Amino acid sequence: MPEQPFEPDRAIAGTGAGGAMDLATSEAATLEQHPSAASGGRAPGGPLGTGPAAKPRSLWSDAWRDLRRNPVFIISALVILFLVVISLWPSLIASGSPLKCDLAKAQEGSQPGAPFGYDGQGCNVYTRTVYGARTSVTVGVCATLGVALLGSVLGGLAGFFGGGWDAILSRITDVFFAIPVVLGGLVLLSVVTSNTVWPVIGFMVLLGWPQICRIARGSVITAKQNDYVQAARALGASNSRILLRHIAPNAVAPVIVVATIALGTYIALEATLSYLGVGLKPPSVSWGIDISAASPYIRNAPHALLWPSGALALTVLAFIMLGDAVRDALDPKLR
């Protein structure tokens, strides 16, 4: 059988089925240089996105991709964003002063200009509910930042260096865990005469850091046993570089999850302490103060109690849902 002339523009590749597969010379050259292009970045026997041409993804990029697809995260984030906006600029949706009251309108229901009605002192419940978000968000965010910073630093150092410092800090955290939070607030804040949010924030930081400290300590102990930490130490990296560049980025995820969930708890704790009369005090505007003031009038004016209570419950729920979504995204075992 005479040989067919060779055509330089075509290349013939045999197949295992006895047929032939025509490839253009340019296509064959492309496959030789980028073997993963034919499979969309797929490594041999591996999933999509694992070939040489695929860009490696970190834990944070994977977590952000999962969070964007999670409706729980989206809803809770929108609610929190709305709370932050009205905390910074409450006059956008509420007019008038939350301290302006008219006893002639005490316990009246919904009416134009006061969609939530009036409380027992004749104050606009809607205006006070909107302005009360500023106090709750301020206390929650500042307390969470203080607790996360103090607990992470102490727990990270204890987990990294160990020894006597670790033993002493562990016993100190045991002592703080034994203190009931509400009872401690009644004792410590009852002697404070300041009418600002800072004593309440300081109390929360004082009793809240042991939890974050335990989480950070365990996370650092786990991270420092990994091979990349041992390799960095073998290459002569200093303790500060190992702790800040290699351990901290890989140990901070559990701290973020616990702190996000705890933020809603601190908001509820501030309302509880204000309700008991040892947190914020009038003329400060707080959901806890409004709930405490409306309790005696729950039969005649239930709206004065339900609206600040509902706002408090919605805020706490939003932060807890956000923390659950972040936990699910950052936990590799749930992928």
Side-chain angles (χ1 to χ4, degrees):
M1 185 175 184
E3 296 183 358
Q4 297 181 357
F6 174 74
E7 299 180 5
D9 295 337
R10 310 296 294 176
I12 308 299
T15 62
M21 178 177 61
D22 294 340
L23 296 175
T25 304
S26 59
E27 295 175 356
T30 301
L31 291 179
E32 289 180 0
Q33 297 176 2
H34 304 285
S36 63
S39 57
R42 186 192 304 271
L48 183 63
T50 59
K55 182 180 180 180
R57 293 197 303 263
S58 64
L59 172 65
W60 302 103
S61 61
D62 287 342
W64 175 240
R65 183 192 60 182
D66 294 341
L67 288 174
R68 289 182 299 176
R69 301 175 181 178
N70 190 344
V72 174
F73 171 78
I74 296 175
I75 295 174
S76 59
L78 291 176
V79 173
I80 293 173
L81 178 62
F82 173 74
L83 290 171
V84 172
V85 171
I86 66 173
S87 298
L88 296 175
W89 303 284
S91 59
L92 293 177
I93 62 173
S95 59
S97 172
L99 302 179
K100 182 180 179 180
C101 304
D102 185 0
L103 286 176
K105 299 181 179 180
Q107 302 183 19
E108 292 186 2
S110 176
Q111 54 187 266
F116 294 172
Y118 294 89
D119 60 10
Q121 300 297 323
C123 302
N124 192 324
V125 177
Y126 173 77
T127 303
R128 291 187 63 87
T129 301
V130 172
Y131 277 83
R134 171 181 293 178
T135 301
S136 297
V137 172
T138 300
V139 171
V141 172
C142 293
T144 301
L145 291 177
V147 167
L149 181 61
L150 181 61
S152 299
V153 171
L154 295 179
L157 294 176
F160 183 75
F161 292 104
W165 165 251
D166 186 17
I168 294 175
L169 187 63
S170 297
R171 301 294 76 79
I172 294 176
T173 56
D174 291 339
V175 173
F176 277 92
F177 275 125
I179 302 176
V181 177
V182 177
L183 180 59
L186 290 174
V187 174
L188 296 178
L189 295 178
S190 60
V191 298
V192 177
T193 58
S194 176
N195 198 31
T196 63
V197 298
W198 300 113
V200 179
I201 294 173
F203 162 75
M204 294 180 181
V205 174
L206 179 63
L207 293 187
W209 69 268
Q211 180 185 17
I212 299 294
C213 180
R214 285 282 180 89
I215 298 296
R217 174 183 175 272
S219 184
V220 169
I221 290 176
T222 302
K224 76 175 184 179
Q225 298 175 357
N226 292 327
D227 294 337
Y228 58 83
V229 176
Q230 304 302 328
R233 192 183 301 276
L235 292 174
S238 62
N239 288 334
S240 59
R241 180 178 179 84
I242 293 175
L243 185 59
L244 297 177
R245 294 292 300 273
H246 300 285
I247 293 181
N250 295 281
V252 73
V255 175
I256 294 177
V257 172
V258 175
T260 305
I261 298 176
L263 199 155
T265 306
Y266 293 141
I267 293 177
L269 179 58
E270 179 273 324
T272 302
L273 295 174
S274 299
Y275 178 85
L276 296 175
V278 296
L280 297 177
K281 303 175 182 64
S284 298
V285 181
S286 168
W287 290 334
I289 295 176
D290 291 348
I291 294 173
S292 178
S295 297
Y297 311 103
I298 186 172
R299 292 186 178 181
N300 299 328
H303 58 272
L305 176 65
L306 294 179
W307 287 111
S309 301
L312 175 63
L314 180 62
T315 302
V316 174
L317 179 62
F319 280 105
I320 292 178
M321 290 173 57
L322 180 69
D324 289 340
V326 173
R327 179 200 60 194
D328 295 341
L330 292 178
D331 191 353
K333 296 179 181 179
L334 301 178
R335 296 186 181 279

